[in-house]
Amino acid sequence: MSDLNAVSTAYQTLLSAIEQVEPRIAAATRQELTDQRASLKLIASENYASLPVLATMGTWMSDKYAEGTVGRRFYAGCQNVDTVEAVAAEHARELFGAEYAYVQPHSGIDANLTAYWAVLAHEIETPALAEHGVRSVNDLSESDWEVLRKKFGDQRLMGMSLDAGGHLTHGFRPNVSGKMFHQRAYGTDPETQLLDYDAIAEQARDFKPLILVAGYSAYPRRINFAKMREIADEIGAVFMVDMAHFAGLVAGKVFTGDEDPIPHADVIMTTTHKSLRGPRGGMILATEKYAADIDRGCPLVLGGPLGHVMAAKAVALAEARTQEFRDYAHAVVDNARALAEGLKSRGVRLVTDGTDNHIVLMDVRDFNVTGRQAEAALLDAGIVTNRNSVPNDPNGAWYTTGVRLGTPALTSRGFSTSDMDAVADMIAGVLKATKPTTTSKGEPSKAKYELTDDARQHSLNEAERLLDLHPLYPGFEI
Ligand code: DSN
């Protein structure tokens, strides 16, 4: 932003106005900025949106109901929301080279469910439906569904297993996708912990899913989407990619050719707030074939579109077209590699032995702590991460054996590869200085731990030094 003083003054005025109505909200909002500024944030799914993106969310575009799609709304007076949605979709199509873009989903889960429903609606227009006198699954009654499910068997979906890094929305029970589909998960090679495309192909031939999903939230490697497409084609499956985590690396042209999902997948779902650095929300890209069915997302699956958030998506997508964003995306991966190398050289075991995206997944078993203990000790030492399963995790999904790290947020603050080496040193130091406490049964606790004061204080000092070197929103004062 050109005049940060003016922007700061504007935000100060707005916060004073909020303060008059509910001081606790103004105080929490101010405190959140202070906390974010003081946080060494390594949560792989978080980032910092630019001030223009944040400012775009705080307007009266929020006040309009606009169910439907551009030019076909269930409410009058939607001309400005039409403009916002059309501009955001245009930027999304051009940035990613997609035939079609739907920018309404409010989150990644919403995007995935909308996309699944659209694929079901499109693909199950068979003579069986005609027998029921209906054109599409959207018109089926509950009893029609029962008949259809019995006659044809339930629909099948294949996605990456949770402990290998897949996501709940890829057909797992805690999400409704696990109730919509029979799911079979593919994992990773037990030795290398990498995707094994021959094994996936074999499973796919056996299971014959309607939908093959690729994508992850905790796999520290790239995917060969051309190979996944071949597998989908061989069995006649629809190929869907969830790029929620790495959309910024696709937009920033880090993932190109076989690693770019857009030319290979039928439907691509994403969030907009992770590596893409936009507002909190979701988005779907697809081939034209699925456009009409995805356009039915609201009100079929989604509540009314959020005009202010779609506007902020448009601003973020416009930012992502720049060389500056492409440099940022490459720096995210360079920083992840530097973090991985720094950790390995200090004796930390990594899932897949490294990274070639924005994620580093530590396996902390060699330090005799659980992921939960490591996560908490790192937080005590000023480092914000989250625990995560590793393949075949001996501690299960609650305590876990892994800690996930990611570089999008610190890279937004301007951290370099040498800063990431300093961060690796802090993390390794904390892990080495953390021990589980002993339970009353004389066993090592999975939750409680002790971290030495020296290691904690050293890490806190280093965090402060690095954060001071790279302030968040420098010059912006509230
Ligand atoms: N919460 C996101 C993440 O942390 O990866 C996925 O839902």
Side-chain angles (χ1 to χ4, degrees), residues 45-260:
S45 49
E46 293 187 8
N47 209 332
Y48 302 107
S50 70
L51 289 172
V53 168
L54 296 179
T56 309
M57 279 187 280
T59 80
W60 34 93
M61 290 305 305
S62 158
D63 291 337
K64 190 76 195 88
Y65 246 122
E67 285 175 2
T69 48
V70 177
R72 281 189 296 120
R73 306 285 184 187
F74 292 89
Y75 292 81
C78 295
Q79 60 279 5
N80 298 311
V81 181
D82 275 358
T83 301
V84 159
E85 185 169 347
V87 171
E90 177 191 300
H91 279 317
R93 286 194 306 273
E94 286 177 5
L95 177 66
F96 290 103
E99 289 178 14
Y100 164 82
Y102 186 64
V103 298
Q104 287 194 25
H106 312 315
S107 70
I109 286 186
D110 290 5
N112 289 2
L113 293 179
T114 304
Y116 289 146
W117 196 259
V119 167
L120 284 173
H122 192 87
E123 299 297 329
I124 311 180
E125 285 182 15
T126 65
L129 293 179
E131 274 175 34
H132 288 265
V134 291
R135 189 195 67 81
S136 134
V137 286
N138 290 318
D139 304 324
L140 284 172
S141 69
E142 203 48 48
S143 55
D144 289 334
W145 259 115
E146 279 308 307
V147 174
L148 202 68
R149 283 162 81 93
K150 284 200 184 95
K151 192 158 179 184
F152 286 87
D154 296 338
Q155 298 306 322
R156 296 175 182 188
L157 178 146
M158 223 174 109
M160 193 172 190
S161 70
L162 283 179
D163 69 350
H167 193 256
L168 289 180
T169 52
H170 302 173
F172 294 97
R173 285 282 152 184
N175 178 257
V176 72
S177 60
K179 306 187 195 311
M180 286 166 72
F181 296 104
H182 286 297
Q183 203 260 19
R184 186 176 296 180
Y186 54 85
T188 46
D189 179 87
E191 290 291 314
T192 63
Q193 300 179 315
L194 297 170
L195 285 172
D196 175 344
Y197 297 98
D198 291 337
I200 297 170
E202 209 175 303
Q203 267 185 285
R205 277 179 216 119
D206 178 52
F207 189 54
K208 295 189 179 51
L210 172 73
I211 293 172
L212 178 65
V213 185
Y216 52 76
S217 60
Y219 179 65
R221 295 288 174 178
R222 303 181 187 191
I223 297 176
N224 184 324
F225 295 111
K227 282 194 179 160
M228 293 297 281
R229 171 88 244 177
E230 275 174 30
I231 297 169
D233 282 346
E234 189 191 324
I235 56 163
V238 178
F239 180 38
M240 301 178 79
V241 172
D242 182 344
M243 66 168 185
H245 259 263
F246 51 88
L249 305 185
V250 179
K253 311 288 176 226
V254 179
F255 291 1
T256 56
D258 290 353
E259 295 167 354
D260 177 356

Side-chain angles (χ1 to χ4, degrees), residues 251-315:
K253 311 288 176 226
V254 179
F255 291 1
T256 56
D258 290 353
E259 295 167 354
D260 177 356
I262 316 298
H264 303 292
D266 297 293
V267 182
I268 301 104
M269 303 80 75
T270 187
T271 54
T272 47
H273 50 273
K274 296 187 172 99
S275 55
L276 194 52
R277 216 164 61 180
R280 192 155 290 273
M283 192 165 75
I284 303 171
L285 306 171
T287 53
E288 194 58 46
K289 175 173 154 185
Y290 293 100
D293 290 293
I294 297 171
D295 267 346
R296 299 177 70 170
C298 171
L300 189 69
V301 178
L302 301 170
L306 309 177
H308 57 310
V309 180
M310 292 194 296
K313 286 173 187 170
V315 173

